[in-house]
Amino acid sequence: MCKVVIFGGTTEGRLLAGYCQEQGIQAVVCVATVYGSQVLDPGLKSLVREGAMDEKEMRAFLKEWDPSLVLDATHPYARKVSENVKKACETTQIPYCRILRQSLETQARIMDQVLFAGDWEEVLRILKNIEGNILATTGSKELKELTALKDYEERLFVRVLPTSQVLAACENMGLKGRHLIAMQGPFSVEMNCAMIRQLNISCLLTKEAGRAGGFEEKLEAARICQIPAVVLGRPVKEEGISLNEAMELLKRDFSKAEREGKQKRRISLVGIGMGGEGQMTEAAVKAIMESQVIFGAPRMIQSVPISRFQGERVSIYKAEEILAWLNSHEEYGKASVLYSGDTGFYSGARAMTEVLKLQEDRYETEIFPGISSLSYLCARLKTSWEDVHCVTLHGRVDNIWQSLENYRRVFVLLGGESSAGALCRQMTERGFGDRRVTVAEKLSYKEEKIFTALAREVGGRKFHSLCAVLIETGDEESER
């Protein structure tokens, strides 16, 4: 299995994700915030996992995805995160590589008016001896340390990421208005100089975040404006590899070219129709019979009338869970995923197809369409469905009222908390009570029921949760 997990919504993380895409390597990028995923390249096809994780959550995530390599490209100052990633890899026995950002400390120390501090306590000691306004470019996580400064609300100007959470945290510390600069960097020398002059800054505070963090541009701006720069040094000296070395490693051991010649595993996405007997095509039955394992929701697994199937039956249906299962069971070369109705009609096959596209070098996908509830119901009613507008309330909240205004015939898929009776009651309340409604329960099963009446006559009845509705009006002049 050739999968790489990248931790870090940093410049290095973004570049590594893009490089994996170029090389045909599946990558999962872990970022702590929604903002971290937003700054990734829009064309990036890697899976993105949003949300901060502690060590326990990291272990669970790595066990689920079972990567061949973990690249820790988190920020140089995110020491706790790096420690958790490393420990999680040690526990799960997954190879770990720390990506190092080149340090510029040696060059910076020989510059005039650059003062290095080993920790925040030393930063505060230095700043207490400097008068005037301070421009803090260290990020938002440790700004609370600076509230120990006298008159910090008037003296301190902070440059932070433009997210609502960050802005709220800063305002809670008393940093508001022009003292709060919400912008995404890195920034040019000219931009830094303009801010220093505009805000009458007497001292620039920064971290030694390397070239990717705009460290050189900050120091140069401070030199031009003839103000001191206070630098919070990196926490510890780390061991690891450079960004270029990481790319060479990926190319050598994980690239698509290295994996060429390996036989692909076959995944069949099968539409099984409504679930009753005789709903599948011969091709779909053949694909299932040739599989070693089939996946699907419990109803799908139980309703498949293939008693001769001797393979594994796994009752999971989410695309990511299926892929994780397959990646941890490489002995299964052929699998089928079962979907109700037709694979192209409000089907989970769409999400599965998107996930499998990320591993085209490992999986060969074939789709077998089935009979949709719409085509089946219209056939039972001896009518066509080419002019029917479709809406689904299954697993989502959907406003269908505009559809009823604009279309003569509307097909509604129901499920979960949405019921035909409740829908018809709402239709009556909104003035659609005279629409003709056909309610279809358990289509294709022995218990199948099809009932037609006006919506105002249906509202008081109860129906099975496995239900679909066709709403029609005789008004031929309605717009579509």
Side-chain angles (χ1 to χ4, degrees):
M1 178 177 61
C2 298
K3 184 191 298 182
V4 175
V5 168
I6 302 169
F7 281 90
T10 56
T11 299
E12 292 85 355
R14 176 177 58 81
L15 292 173
L16 285 169
Y19 187 76
C20 284
Q21 183 168 306
E22 292 174 9
Q23 295 296 320
I25 304 168
Q26 187 190 2
V28 182
V29 185
C30 299
V31 296
T33 63
V34 174
Y35 184 82
S37 64
Q38 291 174 343
V39 297
L40 294 171
D41 291 340
L44 189 65
K45 295 181 180 179
S46 298
L47 294 173
V48 179
R49 196 275 187 194
E50 295 175 358
M53 292 185 279
D54 58 23
E55 184 193 343
K56 182 179 179 181
E57 291 169 323
M58 289 178 182
R59 288 201 308 269
F61 176 81
L62 294 178
K63 286 179 180 178
E64 176 185 355
W65 283 97
D66 191 27
S68 300
L69 176 68
V70 169
L71 296 175
D72 177 8
T74 55
H75 196 276
Y77 287 79
R79 289 302 307 145
K80 183 62 178 178
V81 178
S82 273
E83 290 172 4
N84 286 340
V85 175
K86 189 173 183 179
K87 288 178 182 177
C89 288
E90 289 173 350
T91 303
T92 55
Q93 297 184 329
I94 296 173
Y96 165 91
C97 277
R98 172 63 173 153
I99 311 304
L100 300 180
R101 183 176 290 183
Q102 182 183 5
S103 175
L104 302 175
E105 181 175 342
T106 302
Q107 300 93 305
R109 283 190 178 276
I110 63 175
M111 296 177 65
D112 294 335
Q113 289 191 294
V114 175
L115 307 173
F116 268 83
D119 52 33
W120 278 102
E121 186 177 344
E122 190 174 356
V123 167
L124 292 173
R125 284 202 301 269
I126 295 173
L127 292 179
K128 286 177 181 179
N129 293 319
I130 297 176
E131 296 182 355
N133 295 338
I134 301 167
L135 176 60
T137 65
T138 54
S140 61
K141 290 184 178 179
E142 297 158 310
L143 281 179
K144 193 171 182 181
E145 302 281 352
L146 297 175
T147 61
L149 292 171
K150 183 180 179 181
D151 301 326
Y152 75 90
E153 296 99 329
E154 289 78 30
R155 296 181 58 204
L156 193 59
F157 294 80
V158 299
R159 195 165 70 191
V160 295
L161 291 175
T163 70
S164 57
Q165 295 92 336
V166 169
L167 297 181
C170 290
E171 290 183 351
N172 288 337
M173 285 184 274
L175 300 169
K176 304 176 181 179
R178 66 194 296 261
H179 290 263
L180 189 53
I181 307 164
M183 298 177 68
Q184 179 188 342
F187 302 92
S188 65
V189 174
E190 293 76 15
M191 177 66 83
N192 287 321
C193 286
M195 288 186 183
I196 290 171
R197 290 165 179 156
Q198 178 69 28
L199 301 173
N200 193 27
I201 298 298
S202 299
C203 174
L204 172 71
L205 174 63
T206 184
K207 291 179 178 178
E208 198 278 278
R211 289 191 174 90
F215 181 63
E216 292 173 306
E217 288 80 2
K218 294 176 188 178
L219 296 192
E220 179 61 13
R223 185 192 67 79
I224 292 173
C225 295
Q226 298 182 340
I227 62 170
V230 178
V231 179
L232 176 64
R234 296 192 184 182
V236 294
K237 192 169 183 179
E238 298 182 284
E239 293 183 359
I241 60 177
S242 68
L243 176 63
N244 288 336
E245 289 172 331
M247 289 180 174
E248 285 297 320
L249 172 65
L250 290 170
K251 185 177 181 179
R252 184 184 70 239
D253 295 343
F254 298 93
S255 70
K256 184 176 181 179
E258 291 297 319
R259 301 196 302 275
E260 284 181 352
K262 293 185 178 180
Q263 187 174 2
K264 294 182 180 181
R265 299 162 75 185
R266 194 187 76 181
I267 309 297
S268 299
L269 310 185
V270 182
I272 66 169
M274 306 306 98
E277 293 185 7
Q279 291 287 298
M280 287 185 290
T281 64
E282 290 184 5
V285 173
K286 184 174 183 292
I288 293 175
M289 292 302 296
E290 291 178 353
S291 298
Q292 299 163 300
V293 57
I294 58 175
F295 301 92
R299 183 175 72 86
M300 308 298 127
I301 296 291
Q302 295 165 8
S303 65
V304 175
I306 305 176
S307 58
R308 303 190 312 277
F309 180 74
Q310 299 298 317
E312 187 85 11
R313 299 174 187 245
V314 182
S315 294
I316 57 176
Y317 59 93
K318 292 183 178 179
E320 294 80 7
E321 293 177 354
I322 292 172
L323 192 61
W325 194 98
L326 287 170
N327 287 340
S328 62
H329 295 79
E330 296 229 7
E331 65 272 22
Y332 294 91
K334 295 181 181 180
S336 288
V337 186
L338 312 183
Y339 298 98
S340 176
D342 178 51
T343 50
F345 185 69
Y346 293 111
S347 173
R350 180 178 180 180
M352 191 69 204
T353 301
E354 292 299 318
V355 169
L356 289 171
K357 281 181 181 178
L358 300 173
Q359 294 200 13
E360 290 178 337
D361 59 310
R362 301 187 64 231
Y363 294 102
E364 180 180 299
T365 308
E366 191 169 5
I367 300 177
F368 296 86
I371 301 173
S372 71
S373 54
L374 171 59
S375 62
Y376 184 94
L377 175 59
C378 287
R380 297 283 282 119
L381 296 176
K382 299 180 175 61
T383 184
S384 67
W385 54 271
E386 60 216 22
D387 61 343
V388 175
H389 178 71
C390 300
V391 176
T392 179
L393 301 184
H394 184 70
R396 69 181 75 179
V397 176
D398 202 331
N399 189 335
I400 71 167
W401 311 119
Q402 187 174 357
S403 298
L404 293 179
E405 288 281 359
N406 296 330
Y407 295 88
R408 289 181 53 247
R409 308 175 77 201
V410 178
F411 179 82
V412 186
L413 279 171
L414 297 168
E417 297 180 357
S418 302
S419 68
L423 174 61
C424 289
R425 286 195 298 273
Q426 293 174 31
M427 286 177 60
T428 303
E429 293 169 359
R430 290 176 175 264
F432 298 103
D434 289 326
R435 295 290 176 93
R436 187 170 67 252
V437 173
T438 299
V439 182
E441 298 178 271
K442 302 201 71 175
L443 288 174
S444 82
Y445 288 84
K446 293 180 180 179
E447 303 88 347
E448 174 185 292
K449 292 180 182 179
I450 299 177
F451 173 84
T452 300
L454 298 180
R456 55 184 167 79
E457 300 171 339
V458 179
R461 298 190 53 158
K462 292 185 178 181
F463 299 91
H464 193 276
S465 59
L466 195 60
C467 191
V469 175
L470 179 64
I471 305 169
E472 299 174 284
T473 176
D475 183 7
E476 299 294 338
E477 298 301 319
S478 295
E479 294 184 4
R480 296 187 191 175

